[in-house]
Amino acid sequence: DPAIVEALRSAQGSVRVALLQAAGDRLVTAALPIAIADMDSSDPVIRSAAIGAVGMLVPLEQLDVLVKRLANPRTADEANVVRLALISACSRMPDLDAAADKLMSAWNTASPDARLVIVQVLGAMGGSRALAILGKLGKEGDDAVQDAVTRVLGEWMSPSAGPVLLDLAKTGSPKYRIRALRGYIRIARQLDVPVDERIAMCSQALSAAQRTEEK
């Protein structure tokens, strides 16, 4: 690890890219200041490697360096690199709720594309705070946000999303109620839910269903 940090002080080009990737893979936290600095490199390949390394290394206290970059990516490709780095960073935070709040601090000034990325990151990281935020955005966001929210909730990997999906199926935008209901049914069908709860969920889904297909 010290050898990687030392080499990063002078390496250039493809060697620097490889060292940044190694620093991220090995969780060399001492390389974080170098990686953050390289996020502004004139070389787009180095920038991407640095952003990826920051996603693996950054602590909650410095998560803002990625959140701010979300608002100002230099290219479309870099925007995707930032998205993946944020998913990596937020998913490993010991305090998922605090990470979700950090993400949402950029919401009011975020571009429409950046808002969709925030929704995707919240869906990938999970946690009770992220779920509550998504439930609210599923009702109050614009059409593109509601579309994204119902998609990520439909892929939620724990039964905790059930009540949120059922609520959206009943009171959310009519355009996305069927998708929300199908996400709710998927939880009852596929996830580890006790039999009594599974039966109750099916009963509630049947009451909420308006179309023969879902019934």
Side-chain angles (χ1 to χ4, degrees):
D1 291 356
I4 290 173
V5 175
E6 183 60 32
L8 273 169
R9 301 190 192 284
S10 58
Q12 301 296 323
S14 60
V15 174
R16 191 170 191 86
V17 170
L19 288 166
L20 286 166
Q21 292 171 341
D25 290 342
R26 292 180 57 82
L27 305 180
V28 185
T29 55
L32 178 60
I34 299 173
I36 290 175
D38 277 354
M39 287 175 64
D40 293 318
S41 169
S42 59
D43 185 329
V45 181
I46 291 177
R47 281 203 311 271
S48 292
I51 292 168
V54 171
M56 296 294 291
L57 301 173
V58 70
L60 178 65
E61 296 74 20
Q62 292 176 276
L63 186 60
D64 289 339
V65 299
L66 285 176
V67 175
K68 290 177 181 177
R69 194 53 166 266
L70 177 64
N72 295 293
R74 299 191 184 184
T75 65
D77 287 342
E78 185 172 294
N80 188 53
V81 173
V82 173
R83 177 182 68 86
L84 294 174
L86 276 168
I87 290 174
S88 174
C90 292
S91 298
R92 62 177 174 76
M93 291 296 166
D95 189 340
L96 291 176
D97 291 354
D101 286 334
K102 285 262 189 183
L103 270 176
M104 290 304 295
S105 67
W107 184 265
N108 290 338
T109 57
S111 68
D113 286 344
R115 288 186 172 187
L116 297 184
V117 171
I118 290 173
V119 168
Q120 292 168 11
V121 176
L122 289 170
M125 64 185 284
S128 59
R129 178 65 176 150
L131 185 56
I133 291 170
L134 289 172
K136 183 177 180 181
L137 293 177
K139 289 185 176 182
E140 300 178 2
D142 61 23
D143 183 74
V145 168
Q146 291 182 11
D147 182 20
V149 165
T150 50
R151 287 183 188 279
V152 300
L153 287 176
E155 298 174 355
W156 202 266
M157 293 309 297
S158 78
S160 59
V164 176
L165 283 165
L166 182 62
D167 182 49
L168 290 175
K170 290 180 176 179
T171 63
S173 169
K175 186 175 181 180
Y176 300 112
R177 287 183 184 178
I178 293 173
R179 183 188 293 164
L181 183 61
R182 288 180 174 176
Y184 182 73
I185 294 169
R186 180 192 70 88
I187 290 176
R189 289 180 62 196
Q190 298 180 4
L191 300 189
D192 186 15
V193 180
V195 173
D196 288 349
E197 291 182 27
R198 193 185 305 270
I199 293 172
M201 289 180 70
C202 290
S203 176
Q204 293 182 79
L206 186 61
S207 297
Q210 299 298 313
R211 304 196 322 163
T212 301
E213 292 89 337
E214 284 69 47
K215 290 182 180 181

